[in-house]
């Protein structure tokens, strides 16, 4: 059983930074994606990192967020800089291991103005 744990969320002032982490029980994963869901809105893709190391970002976070993973490919990260109140949401990570996709439990990010 793979348990995906997302952490690093919290309360930060506008302009601040947070780094989210996503670990999958020590399992190696090839694809890592971060989604977010704000109250009353649909879940949206924020950033993606594929097996080849290519990255993709939502227009709203380009230049501010950076997705990465460690060399062991067991932990993913989302570095979030210059945060705005519009970034307030629950952030979820999604990883692809050797057999299937797994979701993390979500971590709350709140940005105050």
């Amino acid at each position: 059983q793979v348990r995906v744990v997302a952490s690093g969320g919290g309360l930060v002032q506008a302009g601040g930074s947070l780094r989210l982490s996503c670990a999958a029980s020590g399992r190696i994963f090839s694809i890592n994606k971060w989604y977010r869901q704000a109250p009353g809105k649909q879940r949206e893709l924020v950033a993606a990192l594929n097996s080849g190391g290519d990255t993709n970002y939502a227009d709203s976070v380009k230049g501010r967020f950076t997705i990465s993973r460690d060399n062991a490919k067991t932990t993913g990260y989302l570095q979030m800089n210059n945060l705005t109140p519009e970034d307030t949401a629950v952030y979820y990570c999604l990883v692809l291991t050797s057999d299937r996709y797994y979701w993390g439990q979500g971590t709350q990010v709140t940005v105050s103005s």
Side-chain angles (χ1 to χ4, degrees):
Q1 182 72 20
V2 176
R3 182 164 174 251
V4 179
V5 179
S7 60
L11 173 63
V12 65
Q13 287 188 332
S17 299
L18 287 173
R19 188 172 84 152
L20 306 183
S21 299
C22 176
S25 303
R27 292 277 298 273
I28 293 173
F29 52 84
S30 57
I31 293 175
N32 178 207
K33 298 181 181 181
W34 288 93
Y35 290 77
R36 67 185 181 187
Q37 187 166 18
K41 295 188 177 181
Q42 288 189 331
R43 190 173 296 190
E44 63 172 345
L45 178 63
V46 174
L49 173 63
N50 69 13
S51 57
D54 298 319
T55 59
N56 198 22
Y57 298 93
D59 288 342
S60 59
V61 307
K62 281 181 182 176
R64 301 187 298 120
F65 290 12
T66 303
I67 188 171
S68 64
R69 61 183 168 219
D70 65 351
N71 290 334
K73 298 183 181 180
T74 59
T75 303
Y77 304 98
L78 184 67
Q79 177 67 43
M80 306 185 296
N81 298 328
N82 195 20
L83 286 161
T84 72
E86 289 68 37
D87 296 315
T88 294
V90 177
Y91 284 71
Y92 299 90
C93 68
L94 177 68
V95 301
L96 175 63
T97 64
S98 59
D99 58 340
R100 52 162 282 192
Y101 280 99
Y102 293 90
W103 284 99
Q105 85 283 9
T107 184
Q108 176 71 45
V109 171
T110 303
V111 185
S112 62
S113 57

